[in-house]
Amino acid sequence: MTIDLRSDTVTKPTKDMLEAMMQAKVGDDVYKEDPTVNALEERLAKMFGKPKALFFPTGTMANQTAIKLHTNPGDQVICDKDAHIYNYEGGGASFNSGVSCKLLQGHRGMFTAEQVVEALNPPDFYHSPLTALVEVENTANRGGGSCWDFEELKKIKSVCDTNNLGYHLDGARIWNALVAKPETATDYGKLFDTISVCLSKGLGCPIGSVLIGDEALMQHAIRIRKILGGGMRQVGYLAAAGLYALDNNIHRLVDDHNKAKEIGEVLNGLTFIKKVEPVETNIIIFELRQKTDETKFLRLLDENNIRLSGMGQGKLRIVTHLDYTDAMHDRFLSVLKQVKI
Ligand SMILES: *Cc1c(COP(=O)(O)O)cnc(C)c1O
């Protein structure tokens, strides 16, 4: 048995999910005639209390569309130095939208309203790029699955309102935050102009992301998606997986969080481990005492068919997910307890 803890994207669709996909009613979505895609979009728009939603093949394309919606070439986007849009979207912000990112030195992928105010370029100071958008990520991936304090998000919203800035949420793992914290999806809908969500992470779909937003923005979003090559045809088969996941796979994220906490506790008890970041959801980031031990540690795990990922700078990452079973969890913890370094 292979225990793959590199990412929550490694899950495979279950028999029941595949069954739901096979039963889907489909049509040509470029004509907006796919009933299952339409149902998924309507459902997510409603869930977040927004007028419109649009299905995307990937979260990257959804985020890139959002950046394009809120900016003009030459503008600047404020985000954390660890943001997915800056680190993991192939430089798309500059390629697709011609914008630069002003990187904030946040804590665990999160920053404060005060930092946003400090990073703003005054619009009449024409030497600097025009600040157009603030982007936040919840949960923050490189932050270790950390969840934002909602009060801080509200303060940032008011900075955006005062300064006429767009406010985008990269909610690839918003489901984890919704399960871990008291706020609801509509609370997020009230705050943000646009929200991207992933169906292919913790929710276990093979593909799919959705961008949710206000009417005028989303009318433009379908044009941007087309330009990015994202017009799709009978994708109700994929949207059906999304609907199935929304019905069945949100509440169970608690199990992923509990397992992650237990892994964090075991790691904390090991002498060769220097630091484990606080575990808030399904991501565990940790560092070994000696950089040189890392190869040995990973090799020992590999011999036991256990895989996790390196994040650079001596940091390792474990992500729990739908396909990480109780039996795998027991086995992983027992292997960890026996590792001698
Ligand atoms: C995975 C992820 C995305 C989207 O990635 P795709 O692989 O393009 O679907 C966006 N933001 C964050 C924080 C992510 O973890």
Side-chain angles (χ1 to χ4, degrees):
M1 134 170 106
T2 298
I3 302 177
D4 193 344
L5 294 162
R6 288 172 301 165
S7 173
D8 45 8
T9 55
V10 301
T11 56
K12 292 179 186 152
T14 58
K15 200 163 168 288
D16 288 346
M17 182 181 275
L18 287 169
E19 193 62 35
M21 293 168 76
M22 293 298 282
Q23 302 296 329
K25 291 195 171 55
V26 298
D28 189 335
D29 182 54
V30 169
Y31 289 102
K32 290 313 288 169
E33 284 173 7
D34 189 303
T36 311
V37 173
N38 292 342
L40 176 70
E41 291 176 347
E42 275 159 34
R43 172 136 175 214
L44 280 165
K46 202 160 169 208
M47 189 174 179
F48 283 83
K50 288 281 198 202
K52 267 214 152 76
L54 190 64
F55 187 58
F56 281 80
T58 68
T60 297
M61 198 191 278
N63 281 336
Q64 290 301 314
T65 297
I67 294 169
K68 187 74 187 160
L69 286 176
H70 293 288
T71 61
N72 288 306
D75 288 352
Q76 196 156 69
V77 178
I78 293 177
C79 65
D80 190 88
K81 64 178 189 311
D82 284 335
H84 193 278
I85 59 159
Y86 177 73
N87 291 285
Y88 301 127
E89 298 190 4
S94 53
F95 190 95
N96 298 313
S97 298
V99 298
S100 57
C101 292
K102 177 92 155 205
L103 301 180
L104 300 184
Q105 301 293 314
H107 176 64
R108 308 191 70 228
M110 304 175 291
F111 46 83
T112 64
E114 214 177 307
Q115 284 177 289
V116 175
V117 172
E118 281 166 13
L120 277 169
N121 292 328
D124 53 351
F125 189 68
Y126 65 85
H127 307 278
S128 306
L130 185 68
T131 311
L133 172 66
V134 177
E135 189 266 3
V136 305
E137 195 175 303
N138 199 21
T139 68
N141 178 1
R142 279 187 67 88
S146 49
C147 300
W148 280 75
D149 167 23
F150 202 73
E151 290 308 308
E152 203 60 47
L153 291 175
K154 281 192 199 162
K155 287 185 199 159
I156 297 174
K157 162 72 172 163
S158 110
V159 175
C160 290
D161 286 346
T162 314
N163 295 279
N164 197 23
L165 308 176
Y167 198 22
H168 174 66
L169 170 65
D170 177 351
R173 292 192 183 80
I174 192 65
W175 316 112
N176 298 86
L178 289 173
V179 163
K181 304 281 271 189
E183 287 81 27
T184 64
T186 48
D187 292 334
Y188 284 96
K190 281 191 193 118
L191 227 49
F192 290 92
D193 300 315
T194 48
I195 299 172
S196 62
V197 302
C198 273
L199 302 163
S200 58
K201 300 257 165 90
L203 296 196
C205 294
I207 182 172
S209 280
V210 175
L211 185 67
I212 304 151
D214 295 329
E215 188 76 40
L217 278 174
M218 294 308 291
Q219 272 186 17
H220 194 197
I222 197 164
R223 174 179 291 276
I224 308 290
R225 187 186 69 175
K226 178 74 187 181
I227 293 168
L228 295 177
M232 299 175 288
R233 305 294 177 176
Q234 288 73 18
V235 279
Y237 294 115
L238 308 179
L243 286 166
Y244 176 89
L246 293 174
D247 284 335
N248 296 284
N249 293 348
I250 296 181
H251 297 293
R252 63 147 307 283
L253 290 171
V254 174
D255 298 344
D256 298 347
H257 296 183
N258 289 338
K259 287 190 178 102
K261 273 208 174 65
E262 286 172 23
I263 295 169
E265 280 158 20
V266 170
L267 288 171
N268 254 319
L270 300 173
T271 52
F272 58 92
I273 297 221
K274 181 168 140 199
K275 186 174 174 219
V276 183
E277 302 271 339
V279 180
E280 292 184 54
T281 54
N282 68 328
I283 302 179
I284 307 128
I285 293 178
F286 63 103
E287 275 173 72
L288 302 201
R289 271 188 206 291
Q290 306 285 339
K291 179 82 186 83
T292 44
D293 290 345
E294 196 176 302
T295 326
K296 191 173 167 200
F297 179 60
L298 290 176
R299 196 184 60 234
L300 277 167
L301 292 180
D302 194 53
E303 282 163 9
N304 285 281
N305 293 322
I306 296 164
R307 308 182 71 182
L308 34 96
S309 50
M311 301 184 76
Q313 295 154 356
K315 290 190 177 182
L316 297 175
R317 187 183 82 161
I318 289 170
V319 189
T320 59
H321 52 75
L322 186 57
D323 288 1
Y324 176 60
T325 61
D326 291 346
M328 291 177 186
H329 186 53
D330 291 343
R331 175 154 162 67
F332 179 45
L333 294 186
S334 84
V335 169
L336 269 185
K337 287 173 187 163
Q338 284 163 26
V339 168
K340 295 263 179 311
I341 286 196

PDB file of all heavy atoms in Angstrom, residues 237-262:
ATOM      1  N   TYR A 237     -20.307  16.169 -17.365  1.00  0.00           N
ATOM      2  CA  TYR A 237     -19.768  14.951 -16.734  1.00  0.00           C
ATOM      3  C   TYR A 237     -18.813  15.320 -15.591  1.00  0.00           C
ATOM      4  O   TYR A 237     -18.735  14.625 -14.586  1.00  0.00           O
ATOM      5  CB  TYR A 237     -19.034  14.092 -17.776  1.00  0.00           C
ATOM      6  CG  TYR A 237     -19.959  13.525 -18.825  1.00  0.00           C
ATOM      7  CD1 TYR A 237     -19.851  13.909 -20.153  1.00  0.00           C
ATOM      8  CD2 TYR A 237     -20.959  12.625 -18.474  1.00  0.00           C
ATOM      9  CE1 TYR A 237     -20.709  13.399 -21.119  1.00  0.00           C
ATOM     10  CE2 TYR A 237     -21.826  12.116 -19.432  1.00  0.00           C
ATOM     11  CZ  TYR A 237     -21.693  12.506 -20.747  1.00  0.00           C
ATOM     12  OH  TYR A 237     -22.557  12.010 -21.672  1.00  0.00           O
ATOM     13  N   LEU A 238     -18.092  16.436 -15.788  1.00  0.00           N
ATOM     14  CA  LEU A 238     -17.146  16.874 -14.753  1.00  0.00           C
ATOM     15  C   LEU A 238     -17.867  17.661 -13.658  1.00  0.00           C
ATOM     16  O   LEU A 238     -17.572  17.521 -12.476  1.00  0.00           O
ATOM     17  CB  LEU A 238     -16.043  17.722 -15.388  1.00  0.00           C
ATOM     18  CG  LEU A 238     -15.353  17.081 -16.594  1.00  0.00           C
ATOM     19  CD1 LEU A 238     -14.300  18.014 -17.165  1.00  0.00           C
ATOM     20  CD2 LEU A 238     -14.717  15.751 -16.208  1.00  0.00           C
ATOM     21  N   ALA A 239     -18.834  18.471 -14.083  1.00  0.00           N
ATOM     22  CA  ALA A 239     -19.601  19.245 -13.108  1.00  0.00           C
ATOM     23  C   ALA A 239     -20.381  18.317 -12.173  1.00  0.00           C
ATOM     24  O   ALA A 239     -20.585  18.632 -11.000  1.00  0.00           O
ATOM     25  CB  ALA A 239     -20.554  20.193 -13.828  1.00  0.00           C
ATOM     26  N   ALA A 240     -20.800  17.162 -12.705  1.00  0.00           N
ATOM     27  CA  ALA A 240     -21.548  16.198 -11.879  1.00  0.00           C
ATOM     28  C   ALA A 240     -20.692  15.723 -10.710  1.00  0.00           C
ATOM     29  O   ALA A 240     -21.200  15.503  -9.601  1.00  0.00           O
ATOM     30  CB  ALA A 240     -21.992  15.015 -12.730  1.00  0.00           C
ATOM     31  N   ALA A 241     -19.396  15.577 -10.953  1.00  0.00           N
ATOM     32  CA  ALA A 241     -18.493  15.196  -9.859  1.00  0.00           C
ATOM     33  C   ALA A 241     -18.490  16.296  -8.803  1.00  0.00           C
ATOM     34  O   ALA A 241     -18.494  16.022  -7.596  1.00  0.00           O
ATOM     35  CB  ALA A 241     -17.085  14.964 -10.404  1.00  0.00           C
ATOM     36  N   GLY A 242     -18.521  17.542  -9.260  1.00  0.00           N
ATOM     37  CA  GLY A 242     -18.553  18.682  -8.338  1.00  0.00           C
ATOM     38  C   GLY A 242     -19.805  18.684  -7.484  1.00  0.00           C
ATOM     39  O   GLY A 242     -19.740  18.864  -6.266  1.00  0.00           O
ATOM     40  N   LEU A 243     -20.961  18.461  -8.116  1.00  0.00           N
ATOM     41  CA  LEU A 243     -22.222  18.429  -7.366  1.00  0.00           C
ATOM     42  C   LEU A 243     -22.204  17.293  -6.342  1.00  0.00           C
ATOM     43  O   LEU A 243     -22.625  17.460  -5.202  1.00  0.00           O
ATOM     44  CB  LEU A 243     -23.404  18.267  -8.329  1.00  0.00           C
ATOM     45  CG  LEU A 243     -23.751  19.526  -9.138  1.00  0.00           C
ATOM     46  CD1 LEU A 243     -24.689  19.192 -10.299  1.00  0.00           C
ATOM     47  CD2 LEU A 243     -24.388  20.589  -8.246  1.00  0.00           C
ATOM     48  N   TYR A 244     -21.688  16.146  -6.792  1.00  0.00           N
ATOM     49  CA  TYR A 244     -21.587  15.009  -5.876  1.00  0.00           C
ATOM     50  C   TYR A 244     -20.700  15.371  -4.678  1.00  0.00           C
ATOM     51  O   TYR A 244     -21.032  15.087  -3.519  1.00  0.00           O
ATOM     52  CB  TYR A 244     -21.016  13.781  -6.606  1.00  0.00           C
ATOM     53  CG  TYR A 244     -20.811  12.607  -5.692  1.00  0.00           C
ATOM     54  CD1 TYR A 244     -21.829  11.684  -5.464  1.00  0.00           C
ATOM     55  CD2 TYR A 244     -19.605  12.453  -4.988  1.00  0.00           C
ATOM     56  CE1 TYR A 244     -21.663  10.633  -4.579  1.00  0.00           C
ATOM     57  CE2 TYR A 244     -19.432  11.409  -4.103  1.00  0.00           C
ATOM     58  CZ  TYR A 244     -20.462  10.499  -3.901  1.00  0.00           C
ATOM     59  OH  TYR A 244     -20.288   9.475  -3.020  1.00  0.00           O
ATOM     60  N   ALA A 245     -19.570  16.042  -4.954  1.00  0.00           N
ATOM     61  CA  ALA A 245     -18.621  16.388  -3.897  1.00  0.00           C
ATOM     62  C   ALA A 245     -19.220  17.396  -2.914  1.00  0.00           C
ATOM     63  O   ALA A 245     -19.011  17.293  -1.703  1.00  0.00           O
ATOM     64  CB  ALA A 245     -17.343  16.952  -4.512  1.00  0.00           C
ATOM     65  N   LEU A 246     -19.984  18.346  -3.428  1.00  0.00           N
ATOM     66  CA  LEU A 246     -20.605  19.333  -2.534  1.00  0.00           C
ATOM     67  C   LEU A 246     -21.597  18.645  -1.595  1.00  0.00           C
ATOM     68  O   LEU A 246     -21.726  19.012  -0.425  1.00  0.00           O
ATOM     69  CB  LEU A 246     -21.314  20.428  -3.340  1.00  0.00           C
ATOM     70  CG  LEU A 246     -20.411  21.363  -4.160  1.00  0.00           C
ATOM     71  CD1 LEU A 246     -21.250  22.305  -5.009  1.00  0.00           C
ATOM     72  CD2 LEU A 246     -19.464  22.157  -3.273  1.00  0.00           C
ATOM     73  N   ASP A 247     -22.290  17.630  -2.112  1.00  0.00           N
ATOM     74  CA  ASP A 247     -23.247  16.894  -1.277  1.00  0.00           C
ATOM     75  C   ASP A 247     -22.562  15.998  -0.250  1.00  0.00           C
ATOM     76  O   ASP A 247     -23.056  15.834   0.853  1.00  0.00           O
ATOM     77  CB  ASP A 247     -24.133  15.988  -2.160  1.00  0.00           C
ATOM     78  CG  ASP A 247     -25.198  16.774  -2.890  1.00  0.00           C
ATOM     79  OD1 ASP A 247     -25.575  17.853  -2.395  1.00  0.00           O
ATOM     80  OD2 ASP A 247     -25.647  16.299  -3.958  1.00  0.00           O
ATOM     81  N   ASN A 248     -21.453  15.410  -0.638  1.00  0.00           N
ATOM     82  CA  ASN A 248     -20.913  14.310   0.180  1.00  0.00           C
ATOM     83  C   ASN A 248     -19.570  14.545   0.836  1.00  0.00           C
ATOM     84  O   ASN A 248     -19.225  13.850   1.791  1.00  0.00           O
ATOM     85  CB  ASN A 248     -20.796  13.047  -0.682  1.00  0.00           C
ATOM     86  CG  ASN A 248     -22.144  12.556  -1.144  1.00  0.00           C
ATOM     87  OD1 ASN A 248     -22.899  11.964  -0.372  1.00  0.00           O
ATOM     88  ND2 ASN A 248     -22.488  12.841  -2.382  1.00  0.00           N
ATOM     89  N   ASN A 249     -18.775  15.469   0.311  1.00  0.00           N
ATOM     90  CA  ASN A 249     -17.375  15.496   0.747  1.00  0.00           C
ATOM     91  C   ASN A 249     -16.932  16.718   1.547  1.00  0.00           C
ATOM     92  O   ASN A 249     -15.745  16.863   1.827  1.00  0.00           O
ATOM     93  CB  ASN A 249     -16.455  15.303  -0.464  1.00  0.00           C
ATOM     94  CG  ASN A 249     -16.588  13.904  -1.053  1.00  0.00           C
ATOM     95  OD1 ASN A 249     -17.185  13.023  -0.429  1.00  0.00           O
ATOM     96  ND2 ASN A 249     -16.063  13.707  -2.247  1.00  0.00           N
ATOM     97  N   ILE A 250     -17.859  17.593   1.900  1.00  0.00           N
ATOM     98  CA  ILE A 250     -17.431  18.770   2.686  1.00  0.00           C
ATOM     99  C   ILE A 250     -17.298  18.422   4.166  1.00  0.00           C
ATOM    100  O   ILE A 250     -16.231  18.615   4.757  1.00  0.00           O
ATOM    101  CB  ILE A 250     -18.388  19.966   2.487  1.00  0.00           C
ATOM    102  CG1 ILE A 250     -18.353  20.432   1.019  1.00  0.00           C
ATOM    103  CG2 ILE A 250     -17.973  21.140   3.403  1.00  0.00           C
ATOM    104  CD1 ILE A 250     -19.229  21.623   0.705  1.00  0.00           C
ATOM    105  N   HIS A 251     -18.370  17.851   4.744  1.00  0.00           N
ATOM    106  CA  HIS A 251     -18.359  17.635   6.196  1.00  0.00           C
ATOM    107  C   HIS A 251     -17.243  16.695   6.631  1.00  0.00           C
ATOM    108  O   HIS A 251     -16.678  16.854   7.701  1.00  0.00           O
ATOM    109  CB  HIS A 251     -19.722  17.136   6.668  1.00  0.00           C
ATOM    110  CG  HIS A 251     -20.780  18.164   6.423  1.00  0.00           C
ATOM    111  ND1 HIS A 251     -20.792  19.355   7.107  1.00  0.00           N
ATOM    112  CD2 HIS A 251     -21.805  18.214   5.552  1.00  0.00           C
ATOM    113  CE1 HIS A 251     -21.796  20.099   6.669  1.00  0.00           C
ATOM    114  NE2 HIS A 251     -22.426  19.427   5.721  1.00  0.00           N
ATOM    115  N   ARG A 252     -16.905  15.737   5.763  1.00  0.00           N
ATOM    116  CA  ARG A 252     -15.899  14.753   6.129  1.00  0.00           C
ATOM    117  C   ARG A 252     -14.477  15.340   6.196  1.00  0.00           C
ATOM    118  O   ARG A 252     -13.556  14.677   6.645  1.00  0.00           O
ATOM    119  CB  ARG A 252     -15.952  13.543   5.190  1.00  0.00           C
ATOM    120  CG  ARG A 252     -15.646  13.869   3.743  1.00  0.00           C
ATOM    121  CD  ARG A 252     -14.962  12.759   3.027  1.00  0.00           C
ATOM    122  NE  ARG A 252     -13.767  12.301   3.715  1.00  0.00           N
ATOM    123  CZ  ARG A 252     -12.619  12.958   3.697  1.00  0.00           C
ATOM    124  NH1 ARG A 252     -12.488  14.093   3.064  1.00  0.00           N
ATOM    125  NH2 ARG A 252     -11.590  12.480   4.340  1.00  0.00           N
ATOM    126  N   LEU A 253     -14.312  16.586   5.763  1.00  0.00           N
ATOM    127  CA  LEU A 253     -12.988  17.216   5.860  1.00  0.00           C
ATOM    128  C   LEU A 253     -12.491  17.246   7.304  1.00  0.00           C
ATOM    129  O   LEU A 253     -11.285  17.275   7.556  1.00  0.00           O
ATOM    130  CB  LEU A 253     -13.026  18.647   5.293  1.00  0.00           C
ATOM    131  CG  LEU A 253     -13.199  18.762   3.768  1.00  0.00           C
ATOM    132  CD1 LEU A 253     -13.449  20.210   3.373  1.00  0.00           C
ATOM    133  CD2 LEU A 253     -11.967  18.214   3.042  1.00  0.00           C
ATOM    134  N   VAL A 254     -13.445  17.219   8.242  1.00  0.00           N
ATOM    135  CA  VAL A 254     -13.091  17.158   9.660  1.00  0.00           C
ATOM    136  C   VAL A 254     -12.144  15.982   9.925  1.00  0.00           C
ATOM    137  O   VAL A 254     -11.185  16.100  10.695  1.00  0.00           O
ATOM    138  CB  VAL A 254     -14.363  17.012  10.530  1.00  0.00           C
ATOM    139  CG1 VAL A 254     -14.020  16.806  11.989  1.00  0.00           C
ATOM    140  CG2 VAL A 254     -15.253  18.228  10.358  1.00  0.00           C
ATOM    141  N   ASP A 255     -12.403  14.843   9.257  1.00  0.00           N
ATOM    142  CA  ASP A 255     -11.541  13.658   9.439  1.00  0.00           C
ATOM    143  C   ASP A 255     -10.113  13.976   8.998  1.00  0.00           C
ATOM    144  O   ASP A 255      -9.147  13.587   9.663  1.00  0.00           O
ATOM    145  CB  ASP A 255     -12.022  12.472   8.578  1.00  0.00           C
ATOM    146  CG  ASP A 255     -13.414  12.018   8.968  1.00  0.00           C
ATOM    147  OD1 ASP A 255     -13.871  12.396  10.065  1.00  0.00           O
ATOM    148  OD2 ASP A 255     -14.039  11.305   8.158  1.00  0.00           O
ATOM    149  N   ASP A 256      -9.982  14.665   7.853  1.00  0.00           N
ATOM    150  CA  ASP A 256      -8.644  15.035   7.372  1.00  0.00           C
ATOM    151  C   ASP A 256      -7.946  15.931   8.393  1.00  0.00           C
ATOM    152  O   ASP A 256      -6.750  15.789   8.655  1.00  0.00           O
ATOM    153  CB  ASP A 256      -8.728  15.787   6.028  1.00  0.00           C
ATOM    154  CG  ASP A 256      -9.343  14.942   4.922  1.00  0.00           C
ATOM    155  OD1 ASP A 256      -9.473  13.723   5.114  1.00  0.00           O
ATOM    156  OD2 ASP A 256      -9.677  15.517   3.874  1.00  0.00           O
ATOM    157  N   HIS A 257      -8.718  16.859   8.971  1.00  0.00           N
ATOM    158  CA  HIS A 257      -8.141  17.797   9.935  1.00  0.00           C
ATOM    159  C   HIS A 257      -7.695  17.060  11.203  1.00  0.00           C
ATOM    160  O   HIS A 257      -6.623  17.323  11.737  1.00  0.00           O
ATOM    161  CB  HIS A 257      -9.148  18.892  10.286  1.00  0.00           C
ATOM    162  CG  HIS A 257      -9.525  19.762   9.102  1.00  0.00           C
ATOM    163  ND1 HIS A 257     -10.371  20.830   9.206  1.00  0.00           N
ATOM    164  CD2 HIS A 257      -9.154  19.707   7.792  1.00  0.00           C
ATOM    165  CE1 HIS A 257     -10.516  21.409   8.007  1.00  0.00           C
ATOM    166  NE2 HIS A 257      -9.787  20.729   7.139  1.00  0.00           N
ATOM    167  N   ASN A 258      -8.538  16.126  11.653  1.00  0.00           N
ATOM    168  CA  ASN A 258      -8.177  15.374  12.865  1.00  0.00           C
ATOM    169  C   ASN A 258      -6.924  14.539  12.645  1.00  0.00           C
ATOM    170  O   ASN A 258      -6.042  14.486  13.513  1.00  0.00           O
ATOM    171  CB  ASN A 258      -9.336  14.469  13.306  1.00  0.00           C
ATOM    172  CG  ASN A 258     -10.492  15.293  13.856  1.00  0.00           C
ATOM    173  OD1 ASN A 258     -10.308  16.440  14.285  1.00  0.00           O
ATOM    174  ND2 ASN A 258     -11.683  14.720  13.836  1.00  0.00           N
ATOM    175  N   LYS A 259      -6.853  13.901  11.481  1.00  0.00           N
ATOM    176  CA  LYS A 259      -5.666  13.085  11.186  1.00  0.00           C
ATOM    177  C   LYS A 259      -4.424  13.973  11.123  1.00  0.00           C
ATOM    178  O   LYS A 259      -3.350  13.611  11.632  1.00  0.00           O
ATOM    179  CB  LYS A 259      -5.838  12.331   9.861  1.00  0.00           C
ATOM    180  CG  LYS A 259      -6.815  11.164   9.947  1.00  0.00           C
ATOM    181  CD  LYS A 259      -6.735  10.324   8.674  1.00  0.00           C
ATOM    182  CE  LYS A 259      -7.649   9.110   8.732  1.00  0.00           C
ATOM    183  NZ  LYS A 259      -8.883   9.271   7.964  1.00  0.00           N
ATOM    184  N   ALA A 260      -4.571  15.133  10.506  1.00  0.00           N
ATOM    185  CA  ALA A 260      -3.427  16.055  10.392  1.00  0.00           C
ATOM    186  C   ALA A 260      -2.944  16.473  11.783  1.00  0.00           C
ATOM    187  O   ALA A 260      -1.734  16.528  12.039  1.00  0.00           O
ATOM    188  CB  ALA A 260      -3.817  17.272   9.560  1.00  0.00           C
ATOM    189  N   LYS A 261      -3.884  16.750  12.671  1.00  0.00           N
ATOM    190  CA  LYS A 261      -3.519  17.137  14.048  1.00  0.00           C
ATOM    191  C   LYS A 261      -2.722  16.030  14.723  1.00  0.00           C
ATOM    192  O   LYS A 261      -1.709  16.278  15.384  1.00  0.00           O
ATOM    193  CB  LYS A 261      -4.781  17.426  14.875  1.00  0.00           C
ATOM    194  CG  LYS A 261      -5.232  18.836  14.742  1.00  0.00           C
ATOM    195  CD  LYS A 261      -5.997  19.345  15.963  1.00  0.00           C
ATOM    196  CE  LYS A 261      -6.262  20.835  15.756  1.00  0.00           C
ATOM    197  NZ  LYS A 261      -7.176  21.076  14.586  1.00  0.00           N
ATOM    198  N   GLU A 262      -3.196  14.786  14.547  1.00  0.00           N
ATOM    199  CA  GLU A 262      -2.505  13.649  15.170  1.00  0.00           C
ATOM    200  C   GLU A 262      -1.097  13.481  14.600  1.00  0.00           C
ATOM    201  O   GLU A 262      -0.152  13.215  15.346  1.00  0.00           O
ATOM    202  CB  GLU A 262      -3.312  12.367  14.974  1.00  0.00           C
ATOM    203  CG  GLU A 262      -4.541  12.322  15.879  1.00  0.00           C
ATOM    204  CD  GLU A 262      -5.467  11.139  15.576  1.00  0.00           C
ATOM    205  OE1 GLU A 262      -4.988  10.124  15.000  1.00  0.00           O
ATOM    206  OE2 GLU A 262      -6.652  11.253  15.903  1.00  0.00           O
TER     207      GLU A 262
END
